[in-house]
Each structure stands twice: as C-alpha cells, then as structure tokens.
C-alpha cells in the first residue's frame, strides 16, 4: 500500500487504573490522508478513550499509535498541535472569555510563548470564525452561547490552528437537525475541498454512514468491524453490538449519499 | 498585545505612579510638596530629604512590590486551580509563614536578631510549600490541582492550629506583636529589604508573566491545554512553585495581608475580561497601586498610630469590589 496513512494504530491495548478489564484491546486502524473516518459504538465501548490515545492524552499499554509514521509519544506537544486540531467534549471554562479570545487560542501552537500574532494569525482567526458561522458572535462570552453555537466556536478554535488533521469527540451531541447537518457538511467540505483528514466519534450512525469514508465499530474495547459503511453496517452486526432490533435500508435520496445504509431501531414490542 | 491593552496597562502604571507621589507626600511629618518633589528629584534638604528617601520611598517601594506580587500570584492561582475563590494564601503558604514568624516572636528570637522574624517566616512558608506539594504528589499520580487545593487547605488549617497552640504559651507582649504581624504591616521597610526582595521577585515575576498563554489554556481545561501544545504537568508545577515562592517572600517581610490577591485579579476580570496576557500584568500593576494606597491610609488615617494594612485592604477593598461585582455580571 502506497497511500499515506495519517493515523496508524496497531495492537492497541489500554486499561484504566483499578479496572479489571482493558478499556481497549487489540484495536487496529488506519486513517488515510484526506478521508473522513468515524468511530462508532455503544456507550462505554472505548470510543473516547481511543480518541485520547490518538491525541496522546493517554499512553498505550501495548501496541502503538503513530501519527504520519511517527509514534505520538515521540512528537513534541507543540509540534503535534501545529498539525492536529482537537475538539474535546464537555470542558467547562473556569472564567468567562469571548468567542474571539477562545478562537485566538488556536494560534498558540504556532506562536509559542512569546511570538507576536501577525497578519497570518489574524486571517486564520477570521477565516475560522467565518467558516463556522460565528463571526457575529465573536464578542460574546462563551457562557452565553447555546449548545450549537458553543460547539461551532470550539470547532472554530480547532480550525484557527489551520490543522492538517481534525479530531472531534461527539461534535454534534445535543444539537438540532440543522446545526448537526451544518457541522457534518462543514466536516465533509474540509475533507473534500481542503484535504483535511477528519476523525470523529459519533453516536449518530446514520450520519456516520452517509458522511464517513470508513468506520470503526467498537464493542467492549474490541474492534467489531472496520471498513466502508456499506460493507459493515448490516442488521446482524448492529443488532449484536447494540443489542437492539433494527432494520437497515438504503438512504432513498436525493443527494450524493443516496444508497448509504440507514438504520432504524424498532420499538421494544416489535 | 493589542494597542488597547497596552493603553490599559499604561493607564494602570500612571495611576500607580500618581499614588506613589501622593503616598510619599503624605505622612506624620508635614512636608511641602515642593520639598518632596525636590527630594525625589535627587536634590532637596534635610530633614525632608531623609524622610522621603530613607523612610517613605522604601516603604512605598515595598508596598508596590508586595501588593504586585500578591495580585499576580492571585491571578495565577485562580487559573491554576480553575477556581475563582483561590487567593495567594489558599495553599497554606501564609499558615507556614505565620508558624515561623510566631515561633520567632514567642521564643523571643526577634529581640536579639530582627532578621530572624522574616527568615523564620520564609522558612515556614517554604516548608508549607514542600509539604503541600509532597502530599499532593503522593495522593495522585501526576499533578492533580483538585488534590493540591485540598492538601493546601488542610495543611493551612493544621498550621493555624499550631499558631494558636504557640500563642497560648506567649507572653502578653509577644502575643500582641504576633497578632500585629499576622494582620500585616509594611513598617519594617528599609532599602536593604527592598533591594533583596527586588532581586528575588523580579525574575519570578518575569517568568510568571511569560506563562500568560499556557495559563489561558489551563483555565480552559487540561485536555484543551494539552491539545493546544502545552506541556501541562510542567506548566502546573512551575506556576504553583513560582507563585508560591513569590507569596512566601512577601509574607516574610510584611506579614499576612489579605484580599489583595483575591479582589485585584477579579476587578481586572470584571473590567477587561480574563485574557491572562492582559490579566497578569494588570493584576501586578493594580495590586501594587492598591497596596500602596491602602498602606498610605494605614500610615496616615490615625497618625501617629498606625493601622494594620491588612485591615485597610479588606475594609476598603471589599466594598469597592462589591460595587464592581454588582455593576457587571460575572
């Protein structure tokens, strides 16, 4: 294979201290440059843990995690932050700051401790605000944003990094249809137009099936399936992993993603 | 630094300079402003010259140094502990310093060697810092700031019990001097103390000011800080140690002066927001100016008697802060 792999994970095992079984065991994945890769699975299957391992916030017990061919632990934090933008889940800010102040922090990896922000930094900030549609909210305190606005502001901070790779942990949780679709459209545009590699964790199987080039389905810390959505999202696998009856039918269209497998969970009596 | 923020810092610096001139002009001896300015300019005649250069100026310089350190350390601790209630003494530094100082007073060391009191206070503060750090390191892998906060609070409580124990054995005279020390005073100021403190504080202040961006990120959350390129453990340890050392030196020379480190950073936040690139230098300047103003009141309000400056910082500072707090939504 000559394709460039952005993330490469081999034989990954990780356990949290004081827990009997590993949170992740034997997980493998390869994320190709410029693709959109989704990690799905039930609650507690290890999705967020895997993301933290990809980002170097946790360290593997066995196996390795590489970013562009080099182990994540061997990268300097700042060098990694110049390449990977991350949108973590649910961090509470200790003090009120404005959207613009927060998005400006996306430039810190490029500026270091002393560097003076220049025109390029200003442009990156404005562009990120614009693409996430939060320019009008720039002077507002983060604490006064709605859930969707806040999520877009967090993505804007990651885009201000001008990253080659974007990693997001449930970026559309608790968002309404329009806001959720806006974010998925933005992620698709970033991969297809700008060549950014996107890795995300999501609970929305149907959007993952429509937008992702490849999926990793986790089950209790193991990889249950990995591949293109149409190949792995079968009724048998979903029912086994999620322990719930579903029907799977192709997305009727219109749209370029017509035909993607769409999952409908059945009610308890069916 | 934007032009607007530079102007804000400049205005604070000018304000502090103005307070400095007013402070030096006021005092028990009634000096004409002309004589004060002459003395400051390097000329003038005695006794005005001696009073200004050897009594009022070193004391004013000490007030600015200690107040600035407390304001800056308060802002750093609030970011590090992600807690708006944090102040420079929250992690037990004042308790350790007070145990040292009270021991020196009760045992009568300070009667033979005046330097023994600040020295004992500094040793006590450094002991408290080491103790808190070791407890926190043993209780949690890595450097968990919630554990640090708990360790600091209980170590502080333990030290305060020790102080009360020491005081039960104190003579009436020693009891009174220990009590006065704990309320804070800048009366011991002289040039050697100021120069020594400057040499110690300036590098520490410089390093803390350089940590504005990492602290901005830490205040957002440790994960965010890591993902935006911060070496989180190193920043936490360095900011804790340096800010504590800053406070330790201030406590050693001036006793425990409360509220400056709590309300100064919040006053800046309420006016100008929480960007540490502005907050840190602004807290330094406002802390210095505020402490100087409070000490001027302490010296002059009931002259020739002197009020404890820690009482003034609370009596004046808290109502001012409440006005700010109720005018703006935090």
């Amino acid at each position: 294979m000559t394709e460039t792999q952005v993330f490469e994970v081999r034989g990954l095992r990780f356990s949290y201290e004081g827990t009997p079984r590993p949170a992740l065991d034997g997980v493998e994945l390869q994320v190709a440059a410029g693709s959109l890769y989704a990690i799905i699975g039930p609650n507690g299957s290890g999705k967020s843990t895997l993301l933290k391992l990809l980002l170097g916030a946790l360290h593997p017990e066995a196996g390795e995690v590489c970013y562009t061919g080099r182990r994540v632990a061997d990268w300097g934090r700042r060098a990694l932050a110049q390449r990977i933008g991350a949108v973590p889940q649910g961090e509470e800010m200790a003090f009120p700051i404005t959207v613009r102040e927060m998005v400006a922090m996306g430039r810190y990896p490029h500026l270091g401790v002393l560097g003076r922000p220049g025109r390029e930094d200003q442009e990156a900030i404005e562009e990120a605000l614009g693409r996430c549609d939060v320019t009008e909210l720039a002077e507002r305190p983060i604490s006064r944003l709605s859930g969707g606005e806040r999520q877009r502001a967090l993505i804007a901070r990651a885009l201000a990094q001008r990253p080659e790779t974007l990693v997001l942990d449930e970026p559309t949780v608790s968002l309404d249809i329009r806001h959720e679709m806006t974010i998925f459209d933005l992620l698709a545009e970033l991969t297809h137009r700008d060549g950014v590699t996107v890795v995300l964790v999501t609970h929305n199987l149907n959007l993952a099936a429509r937008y992702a080039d490849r999926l990793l389905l986790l089950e209790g810390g193991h990889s249950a399936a990995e591949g293109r959505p149409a190949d792995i999202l079968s009724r048998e696998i979903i029912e086994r992993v999620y322990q719930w009856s579903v029907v799977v039918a192709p997305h009727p269209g219109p749209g370029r993603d017509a035909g993607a497998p769409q999952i409908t969970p059945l009610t308890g009596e069916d | 630094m934007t032009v607007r923020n530079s102007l804000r810092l400049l205005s604070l610096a000018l304000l502090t300079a103005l307070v400095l001139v007013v402070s030096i002009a006021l005092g028990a001896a009634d000096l004409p402003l002309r004589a004060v300015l002459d003395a400051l300019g390097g000329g003038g005649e005695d006794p005005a010259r001696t009073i200004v250069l050897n009594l009022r100026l070193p004391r004013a310089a000490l007030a600015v140094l200690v107040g600035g350190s407390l304001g800056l350390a308060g802002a750093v601790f609030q970011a590090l502990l992600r807690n708006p209630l944090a102040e420079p003494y929250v992690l037990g530094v004042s308790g350790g310093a007070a145990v040292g100082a009270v021991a020196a007073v009760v045992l009568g060391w300070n009667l033979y060697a005046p330097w023994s009191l600040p020295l004992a206070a500094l040793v006590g503060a450094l002991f408290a810092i080491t103790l808190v750090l070791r407890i926190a390191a043993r209780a949690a892998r890595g450097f968990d700031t919630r554990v640090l906060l708990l360790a600091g609070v209980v170590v502080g409580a333990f030290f305060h019990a020790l102080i009360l124990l020491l005081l039960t054995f104190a003579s009436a005279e020693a009891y009174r001097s220990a009590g006065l020390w704990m309320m804070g005073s800048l009366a011991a100021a002289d040039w050697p103390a100021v120069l020594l403190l400057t040499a110690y504080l300036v590098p520490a202040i410089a390093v803390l000011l350089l940590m504005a961006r990492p602290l901005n990120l830490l205040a957002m959350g440790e994960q965010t800080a890591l993902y935006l390129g911060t070496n989180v453990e190193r920043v936490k340890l360095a900011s804790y140690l340096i800010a504590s050392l800053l406070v330790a030196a201030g406590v050693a020379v001036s006793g425990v002066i409360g509220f400056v480190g709590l309300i100064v950073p919040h006053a800046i936040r309420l006016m100008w927001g929480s960007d540490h690139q502005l907050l840190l230098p602004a807290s330094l300047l406002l802390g210095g100016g505020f402490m100087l103003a409070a000490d001027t009141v302490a010296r002059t309000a009931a002259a020739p008697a002197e009020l404890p400056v820690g009482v003034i910082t609370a009596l004046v500072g808290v109502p001012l802060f409440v006005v700010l707090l109720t005018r703006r939504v935090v």
Side-chain angles (χ1 to χ4, degrees):
Chain A
M1 200 166 18
T2 51
E3 212 177 354
T4 339
Q5 301 302 328
V6 172
F7 280 112
E8 246 178 311
V9 174
R10 280 184 293 271
L12 181 64
R13 188 171 72 229
F14 177 83
S15 318
Y16 287 101
E17 229 174 306
T19 51
R21 69 172 185 89
L24 287 173
D25 201 358
V27 171
E28 317 253 329
L29 67 87
Q30 294 194 325
V31 178
S35 68
L36 201 157
Y37 194 97
I39 301 166
I40 55 176
N43 295 123
S45 58
K47 302 184 296 296
S48 294
T49 305
L50 176 55
L51 226 53
K52 285 180 187 166
L53 282 149
L54 290 180
L55 291 166
L58 298 173
H59 302 291
E61 195 178 305
E64 45 175 27
V65 180
C66 292
Y67 181 73
T68 59
R70 184 168 165 201
R71 289 199 324 189
V72 168
D74 295 339
W75 281 88
R77 286 312 317 180
R78 190 175 154 201
L80 208 56
Q82 288 170 351
R83 291 164 176 81
I84 306 178
V87 181
Q89 218 194 340
E91 281 209 306
E92 280 300 313
M93 259 150 274
F95 301 101
I97 57 168
T98 66
V99 172
R100 185 185 298 280
E101 284 170 334
M102 187 179 80
V103 173
M105 290 182 198
R107 296 310 295 168
Y108 286 2
H110 300 281
L111 292 170
V113 166
L114 276 178
R116 284 175 62 86
R119 186 158 9 119
E120 195 195 336
D121 300 292
Q122 209 46 51
E123 281 169 9
I125 293 166
E126 295 305 329
E127 188 195 325
L129 288 167
R131 287 192 83 166
C132 296
D133 200 16
V134 287
T135 307
E136 269 94 79
L137 308 173
E139 309 309 326
R140 277 225 224 142
I142 305 281
S143 52
R144 288 197 215 146
L145 301 183
S146 72
E149 291 165 344
R150 189 191 146 99
Q151 207 57 37
R152 296 208 306 272
L154 280 171
I155 297 175
R157 183 184 69 200
L159 289 189
Q161 287 171 258
R162 293 221 164 127
E164 57 190 35
T165 302
L166 196 56
V167 177
L168 311 95
D169 195 355
E170 296 194 35
T172 62
V173 71
S174 80
L175 299 191
D176 62 32
I177 293 179
R178 188 172 77 87
H179 288 121
E180 180 161 48
M181 294 307 292
T182 317
I183 286 178
F184 269 91
D185 272 351
L186 173 65
L187 296 180
E189 186 187 285
L190 283 167
T191 45
H192 300 134
R193 207 192 76 188
D194 306 84
V196 175
T197 309
V198 174
V199 178
L200 83 152
V201 161
T202 179
H203 272 301
N204 194 325
L205 302 185
N206 291 335
L207 289 184
R210 288 166 64 183
Y211 283 90
D213 297 302
R214 287 181 85 83
L215 297 175
L216 170 67
L217 174 60
L218 287 176
E219 180 188 20
H222 302 279
S223 165
E226 205 272 344
R228 297 189 308 132
D231 298 338
I232 66 163
L233 289 177
S234 68
R235 202 186 110 210
E236 294 71 30
I237 293 179
I238 300 293
E239 289 191 342
R240 195 193 78 220
V241 171
Y242 285 90
Q243 312 232 314
W244 198 263
S245 303
V246 299
V247 289
V248 179
H251 171 35
R256 57 175 175 74
D257 55 345
Q262 295 293 286
I263 296 143
T264 310
L266 302 173
T267 53
E269 300 100 64
D270 295 318
Chain B
M1 182 75 55
T2 60
V3 175
R4 189 167 63 160
N5 284 352
S6 306
L7 288 176
R8 285 164 164 174
L9 288 179
L10 187 66
S11 68
L12 279 183
L14 290 176
L15 183 73
T16 305
L18 185 69
V19 176
L20 187 76
V21 173
V22 172
S23 169
I24 289 169
L26 296 174
D30 205 358
L31 300 180
L33 187 62
R34 182 79 243 163
V36 170
L37 291 177
D38 281 347
L40 280 178
E45 286 168 14
D46 277 335
R49 191 179 148 79
T50 309
I51 291 175
V52 167
L53 292 186
N54 289 344
L55 294 176
R56 292 186 189 170
L57 195 56
R59 180 162 178 162
L62 189 71
V64 172
L65 277 174
V66 171
S69 300
L70 289 175
L72 176 61
V76 169
F77 278 125
Q78 285 160 13
L80 173 69
L81 301 170
R82 297 170 49 76
N83 189 330
L85 281 177
E87 42 94 26
Y89 306 129
V90 71
L91 296 180
V93 175
S94 61
V99 169
V102 170
V105 171
V106 170
L107 297 173
W109 297 342
N110 61 322
L111 301 179
Y112 306 108
W115 271 100
S116 67
L117 196 153
L119 193 64
L122 186 64
V123 169
L126 296 178
F127 178 68
I129 294 168
T130 317
L131 191 62
V132 170
L133 193 60
R134 293 202 57 162
I135 294 173
R138 185 165 288 204
R141 186 187 289 195
F143 188 74
D144 187 332
T145 48
R146 291 165 304 179
V147 177
L148 188 73
L149 182 57
L150 271 175
V153 170
V154 296
V155 164
F158 183 78
F159 282 143
H160 283 288
L162 271 187
I163 294 163
L164 296 180
L165 186 69
L166 278 172
L167 287 178
T168 52
F169 297 111
S171 66
E173 184 47 38
Y175 193 95
R176 189 178 141 74
S177 0
L180 281 175
W181 182 87
M182 278 190 282
M183 286 186 276
S185 167
L186 296 160
D190 56 19
W191 280 118
V194 169
L195 293 179
L196 196 66
L197 205 62
T198 307
Y200 176 98
L201 292 181
V202 167
I205 288 171
V207 174
L208 285 181
L209 289 178
L210 286 180
M211 292 172 80
R213 282 178 192 161
L215 287 174
N216 265 346
L217 295 177
L218 263 194
M220 297 278 307
E222 288 189 16
Q223 255 193 73
T224 300
L226 182 75
Y227 297 156
L228 284 171
T230 309
N231 196 323
V232 174
E233 298 297 311
R234 205 159 63 192
V235 168
K236 286 193 293 185
L237 186 64
S239 56
Y240 163 65
L241 275 180
I242 297 170
S244 294
L245 292 173
L246 205 62
V247 176
V251 171
V253 295
S254 63
V256 183
I257 301 174
F259 294 100
V260 179
L262 178 68
I263 62 183
V264 163
H266 280 301
I268 301 289
R269 279 199 181 88
L270 289 167
M271 292 188 296
W272 298 335
S274 287
D275 183 349
H276 288 76
Q277 295 174 85
L278 175 65
L279 179 63
L280 295 185
S283 296
L284 179 76
L285 290 171
L286 185 64
F290 176 60
M291 179 74 100
L292 182 56
D295 187 53
T296 309
V297 175
R299 279 194 300 121
T300 54
E306 207 173 282
L307 301 172
V309 63
V311 173
I312 306 294
T313 54
L315 284 183
V316 179
V318 172
L320 275 179
F321 181 67
V322 169
V323 170
L324 261 184
L325 191 63
T326 47
R327 266 185 44 215
R328 292 275 294 264
V329 183
V330 185

